[in-house]
Amino acid sequence: MKDRPTILDVAKKAGVSKSTVSLVLQGSKAVKDATRVAVREAMAEIGYVYNRSAATLRSSSSGLIGLVINDLRNPFFTEFAALFQMELARNGFATVLANSDEDPVLQTQMISSLVEHGVSGFIISPSYGREEDALAVLQASNTPTIQVFRSLEASNPQFPFVAPDYDRGGRLATEHLLANGCRRVAFVGGLEGRAVTEERMSGYFSVLAEAGITPLVMTGQATRGFGKAMAAKLHSDHPDVDGVLCFNDLVALGVLSAAPELGLRIGADLRVVGFDDIEDCRDSFPPLTSVSCNIPDFAKSTAAQILAWINDGTAPPMTCRSPVQLIKRASSGG
Amino acid sequence: MKDRPTILDVAKKAGVSKSTVSLVLQGSKAVKDATRVAVREAMAEIGYVYNRSAATLRSSSSGLIGLVINDLRNPFFTEFAALFQMELARNGFATVLANSDEDPVLQTQMISSLVEHGVSGFIISPSYGREEDALAVLQASNTPTIQVFRSLEASNPQFPFVAPDYDRGGRLATEHLLANGCRRVAFVGGLEGRAVTEERMSGYFSVLAEAGITPLVMTGQATRGFGKAMAAKLHSDHPDVDGVLCFNDLVALGVLSAAPELGLRIGADLRVVGFDDIEDCRDSFPPLTSVSCNIPDFAKSTAAQILAWINDGTAPPMTCRSPVQLIKRASSGG
DNA sequence: CTGAAAGCGCTTACAG
DNA sequence: CTGAAAGCGCTTACAG
């Protein structure tokens, strides 16, 4: 940060005005090739480094995108964050990360900080609670903002919302379990009342209703620990259950990890399907059938949407559902 | 970003000069309480938002820290990244994330981009390959830089390096396996020749040498898949092996997941210890004994070190080892 | 296609 | 304790 050469130094070295250097920096077509080359060479020679803060101040575009995630330690979000960041980098944008850790107060603080840094856009998978605060800061900042995976205001959306088609995922999974011979299918995990939980359950409910089967729902934490505990509970209290659709893969992996102790053969006595298709699904025992939300595509298209909004002013539709896919593995009997 | 009020507007509203507003913003003690309150009120009233780009330009301190990680999808790094970011936020710094994804070319690009953004410091867990490039950019930027977990230039360090005491972790784990009755202990996973692998093995080698046991090393990818494959290989080619120290938890969890198919009782026929103590260790079957690197403390102390360097100019020692701890669980027989 | 000038919103000495 | 002035390194109209 100290004594870095400026465009003035480059201009002197290249024998042009600083405006010309600035135009070269911006890749303007209005600069002669020879001039551009000379300027580039001068930059290389004196070790010039672009100072984005100065550019930001003048042009009010920082090249920074704020990524606010409710739980970065969940591998589902981590994969999204990693791929999203790389896609942005490919387009010349840097990603400022904020893990709100399901804490709405922290979330509002972090959003405020990102606004101060002048981020050009927000991608937020929100933490629930005191939504007015976060929404107010976001609104006031007048920054393109896309909500992903979760929405703070399902009823009256103020920001575009994009998420995988959870409902369809639930349908596909439940149909698959029934097709594989299950007679009683439980839904396990996911906090009650949350939109995501309800969407992931809705497909399950419809399919069971069509088949005339009574649902059995055990909501709760979306963790391995909860899955493990519920497996034991199912085994003792509901021995007729022969299929489980889990809120997410962590819950499902918890169910799998409980099976040996309970003497259950996963994929035979009990067929299990997860949700999210995280990497661990391929390496569990047995490998876990799961609803894939295709995170690589999701990250890429989310990046494209926010960039289009920032660069061309074209906001995405208020709600967008991305395709999901059932990945069949041994845990559901193939 | 448009039409945001500036300190001039605040000054007018509060009836002071803009210098005074600036001093209030910086928390200067030189401002009368009454004035400070008046200024704060004026800010709130007109919805003033601090513009850090302008401040950065003048003061050349961005309040941004660059976090460059070789593999953000590895839960070990994710946990570090999440906790580190939160600790920085607590101190008024934002974290710009870069997942280099083990690609040295990407890594150099991302570092350059972060330098343009004027980050006040770098924390980097580097990707290997073409180290000169990344090091050159880092050096030229003259920015406080700390390497974590891995070091690009083990022999001739240019930047402070801080990592858990892997050697000691390997010792503790191996001693524990022997104490629990193992007669033949293998080391599985970790890419050959890497400093981290060698450090994690070194304690293993010393303890075996002291006990007069021949080591058995199977290096390779640090993944569940590799662990699973090696478990099968151990079972067929080295039936005498009754203990495994794994390069990391992912490898160990892979070994565990292979056990049912192989008819192995983990913790009895085969005792397994992992490394890193990621969250999954508690929920695997059986729960996985692991060497904990105490990531929460590690993240906190790394944050403290980079902040001290930035704020007071006190660079950390060139190399620092943080304590590790063996967490005993059922996979090694308790 | 290139140059001279103004200005983005702050911070920083320097007076008073 | 507060004010007037200069300047951080760019970009942006505007001439030419």
Side-chain angles (χ1 to χ4, degrees):
Chain A
M1 295 297 294
K2 48 182 60 163
D3 291 318
R4 298 213 300 212
T6 75
I7 54 169
L8 257 175
D9 301 311
V10 177
K12 202 172 298 172
K13 181 88 183 177
V16 299
S17 84
K18 64 173 179 165
S19 310
T20 306
V21 177
S22 180
L23 290 176
V24 171
L25 246 16
Q26 296 170 71
S28 163
K29 296 285 295 176
V31 182
K32 240 194 318 199
D33 270 17
T35 312
R36 191 162 41 67
V37 171
V39 170
R40 289 276 176 216
E41 274 172 6
M43 290 198 222
E45 269 182 64
I46 66 181
Y48 170 75
V49 179
Y50 186 55
N51 182 331
R52 273 179 191 272
S53 297
T56 301
L57 179 56
R58 189 66 177 94
S59 68
S60 67
S61 157
S62 66
L64 251 25
I65 306 278
L67 177 62
V68 184
I69 297 284
N70 57 295
D71 178 12
L72 191 62
R73 280 173 281 188
N74 180 328
F76 180 65
F77 291 119
T78 307
E79 191 182 0
F80 172 72
L83 294 170
F84 179 74
Q85 182 274 137
M86 293 172 72
E87 184 64 18
L88 281 188
R90 224 166 272 132
N91 288 277
F93 280 73
T95 306
V96 191
L97 181 68
N99 177 36
S100 60
D101 219 45
E102 304 290 10
D103 178 341
V105 174
L106 254 186
Q107 172 170 260
T108 301
Q109 282 172 10
M110 287 173 171
I111 292 173
S112 301
S113 161
L114 296 181
V115 172
E116 287 187 356
H117 280 288
V119 296
S120 303
F122 274 105
I123 300 293
I124 175 169
S125 171
S127 296
Y128 296 110
R130 302 196 54 81
E131 10 273 290
E132 329 76 66
D133 294 357
L135 289 172
V137 177
L138 252 12
Q139 286 290 10
S141 78
N142 199 20
T143 309
T145 299
I146 297 177
Q147 295 182 90
V148 289
F149 303 120
R150 307 166 147 200
S151 170
L152 279 183
E153 7 75 289
S155 46
N156 173 32
Q158 305 177 44
F159 300 107
F161 171 56
V162 18
D165 192 344
Y166 299 132
D167 172 80
R168 183 167 157 73
R171 287 198 72 90
L172 290 175
T174 313
E175 284 166 356
H176 167 68
L177 286 170
L178 296 187
N180 275 9
C182 291
R183 329 220 53 171
R184 188 83 202 277
V185 178
F187 185 98
V188 174
L191 293 180
E192 207 168 338
R194 294 281 167 80
V196 179
T197 308
E198 276 165 17
E199 287 186 37
R200 290 189 174 190
M201 278 193 299
S202 69
Y204 161 83
F205 283 134
S206 336
V207 173
L208 286 200
E210 288 158 20
I213 300 176
T214 313
L216 172 60
V217 169
M218 308 167 90
T219 45
Q221 296 283 110
T223 59
R224 288 178 193 252
F226 183 77
K228 200 168 175 179
M230 289 308 103
K233 189 164 166 122
L234 277 177
H235 187 62
S236 61
D237 299 1
H238 303 279
D240 58 323
V241 168
D242 53 4
V244 183
L245 172 55
C246 295
F247 172 75
N248 71 5
D249 290 330
L250 296 179
V251 173
L253 292 170
V255 171
L256 296 204
S257 72
E261 285 172 284
L262 301 171
L264 283 171
R265 290 167 308 149
I266 299 291
D269 307 332
L270 188 67
R271 297 176 196 273
V272 180
V273 178
F275 222 110
D276 295 344
D277 193 36
I278 63 177
E279 217 178 322
D280 296 355
C281 295
R282 287 186 276 290
D283 301 310
S284 61
F285 178 77
L288 180 64
T289 296
S290 185
V291 177
S292 163
C293 298
N294 203 340
I295 295 301
D297 282 359
F298 187 85
K300 206 170 277 192
S301 79
T302 304
Q305 288 189 90
I306 193 74
L307 290 176
W309 196 353
I310 292 168
N311 294 328
D312 319 334
T314 58
M318 281 315 278
T319 142
C320 169
R321 292 293 172 169
S322 67
V324 299
Q325 195 186 351
L326 185 70
I327 309 294
K328 297 175 189 168
R329 299 198 183 87
S331 73
S332 61
Chain B
M1 295 296 296
K2 48 182 59 165
D3 291 319
R4 299 213 300 213
T6 74
I7 53 169
L8 257 175
D9 301 311
V10 177
K12 201 172 299 171
K13 182 87 185 177
V16 300
S17 84
K18 63 175 180 165
S19 310
T20 306
V21 176
S22 180
L23 290 176
V24 170
L25 246 16
Q26 296 169 73
S28 163
K29 295 285 297 177
V31 181
K32 238 193 320 198
D33 270 17
T35 312
R36 191 164 39 67
V37 171
V39 169
R40 289 275 176 218
E41 273 172 6
M43 291 197 221
E45 269 182 64
I46 65 181
Y48 170 75
V49 179
Y50 186 56
N51 181 332
R52 272 178 193 272
S53 297
T56 301
L57 180 56
R58 190 67 177 93
S59 68
S60 67
S61 158
S62 65
L64 251 24
I65 305 278
L67 177 61
V68 184
I69 296 285
N70 57 295
D71 178 13
L72 192 62
R73 281 173 279 189
N74 179 329
F76 180 66
F77 291 118
T78 308
E79 191 182 0
F80 172 72
L83 295 170
F84 179 74
Q85 181 277 135
M86 293 171 72
E87 184 63 20
L88 281 189
R90 224 165 273 132
N91 288 277
F93 280 73
T95 306
V96 190
L97 181 68
N99 177 35
S100 60
D101 220 43
E102 304 290 9
D103 179 341
V105 174
L106 254 185
Q107 172 170 259
T108 301
Q109 283 172 9
M110 287 172 171
I111 292 173
S112 301
S113 161
L114 296 182
V115 172
E116 288 187 356
H117 281 287
V119 295
S120 302
F122 274 105
I123 300 293
I124 175 167
S125 171
S127 297
Y128 295 110
R130 300 198 55 80
E131 10 274 290
E132 329 76 66
D133 295 358
L135 290 172
V137 178
L138 252 12
Q139 286 289 10
S141 78
N142 200 18
T143 310
T145 298
I146 297 177
Q147 296 182 87
V148 290
F149 303 121
R150 306 166 149 200
S151 170
L152 278 183
E153 7 75 290
S155 46
N156 173 32
Q158 305 177 45
F159 299 107
F161 171 56
V162 16
D165 192 344
Y166 298 131
D167 172 79
R168 184 167 157 73
R171 287 197 71 90
L172 290 175
T174 312
E175 283 166 356
H176 168 69
L177 286 170
L178 296 187
N180 275 10
C182 291
R183 331 220 51 171
R184 188 83 203 277
V185 178
F187 186 98
V188 174
L191 292 180
E192 207 169 336
R194 293 280 168 80
V196 179
T197 309
E198 276 165 17
E199 287 186 38
R200 290 189 174 189
M201 278 194 297
S202 69
Y204 161 83
F205 283 134
S206 337
V207 173
L208 287 199
E210 288 157 20
I213 300 176
T214 314
L216 171 61
V217 170
M218 306 168 90
T219 46
Q221 295 284 110
T223 60
R224 287 177 193 253
F226 183 76
K228 200 168 175 179
M230 288 309 102
K233 189 165 166 125
L234 278 177
H235 187 62
S236 62
D237 299 0
H238 303 280
D240 58 323
V241 168
D242 53 3
V244 183
L245 171 55
C246 294
F247 172 76
N248 71 4
D249 291 330
L250 297 178
V251 172
L253 292 170
V255 171
L256 297 203
S257 72
E261 286 172 282
L262 301 172
L264 282 172
R265 291 166 308 149
I266 299 290
D269 308 330
L270 188 67
R271 297 176 196 272
V272 180
V273 178
F275 221 112
D276 294 346
D277 193 34
I278 63 176
E279 217 178 322
D280 296 356
C281 295
R282 288 186 276 289
D283 301 310
S284 61
F285 178 77
L288 180 63
T289 296
S290 185
V291 177
S292 163
C293 299
N294 203 340
I295 295 301
D297 282 358
F298 188 86
K300 205 169 278 190
S301 78
T302 304
Q305 288 189 87
I306 194 74
L307 291 176
W309 196 353
I310 292 168
N311 294 328
D312 319 333
T314 58
M318 282 313 280
T319 142
C320 170
R321 292 291 173 171
S322 67
V324 300
Q325 195 185 351
L326 185 70
I327 308 294
K328 297 174 189 168
R329 300 198 182 87
S331 72
S332 60

